[in-house]
Amino acid sequence: QVQLVESGGGLVQAGGSLRLSCTASGSVFSRNAMGWYRQAPGKQRELVAAITRGDHTNYADSVKGRFTVSRDNAKNTVYLQMNSLKTDDTAVYYCTAAKTGWSLIPNDYWGQGTQVTVSS
């Protein structure tokens, strides 16, 4: 049984920063690709960032240069550092994991999500 638990969401002003964390339990983590998706009201869910077991990363164009995904295998935790936040970043953010180690669109397992709200 794979469990992904997100934390770190909240309310922040535009231009501010937040760091999301996701701790994984079960038989997944160091061998698996991990990622973050988000879904804003009225919009489709989209990939924000992904990181493979080899630390290769993939970012949505809209967050490149502002967001950084990283992982700490010793802590079974993946992070999403979000800087220079914009109101368009307001969404529910989901931690995800792939069954494989090299996927750049990890979407086999999902956390329950954490709300990020950016105010103007």
Side-chain angles (χ1 to χ4, degrees), residues 63-84:
V63 306
K64 284 181 181 176
R66 300 188 298 122
F67 289 12
T68 302
V69 61
S70 61
R71 62 194 298 162
D72 185 337
N73 290 337
K75 296 182 178 180
N76 279 11
T77 301
V78 61
Y79 304 97
L80 184 66
Q81 177 67 45
M82 305 185 294
N83 298 328
S84 302

Side-chain angles (χ1 to χ4, degrees), residues 24-58:
S25 61
S27 60
V28 67
F29 196 77
S30 60
R31 302 186 304 275
N32 299 77
M34 304 291 294
W36 294 91
Y37 283 69
R38 67 185 180 187
Q39 187 166 22
K43 294 187 178 180
Q44 288 190 331
R45 196 171 289 185
E46 62 173 351
L47 175 68
V48 176
I51 184 165
T52 70
R53 62 182 290 181
D55 290 339
H56 294 95
T57 57
N58 180 34

Side-chain angles (χ1 to χ4, degrees), residues 2-7 20-25 28-29 33-39 45-51 69-71 76-80 92-98 106-115:
V2 174
Q3 284 189 318
L4 303 172
V5 180
E6 303 99 335
S7 61
L20 304 182
S21 301
C22 171
T23 300
S25 61
V28 67
F29 196 77
M34 304 291 294
W36 294 91
Y37 283 69
R38 67 185 180 187
Q39 187 166 22
R45 196 171 289 185
E46 62 173 351
L47 175 68
V48 176
I51 184 165
V69 61
S70 61
R71 62 194 298 162
N76 279 11
T77 301
V78 61
Y79 304 97
L80 184 66
V92 177
Y93 284 70
Y94 297 90
C95 175
T96 65
N107 57 11
D108 294 307
Y109 305 103
W110 292 75
Q112 293 196 334
T114 185
Q115 177 71 45

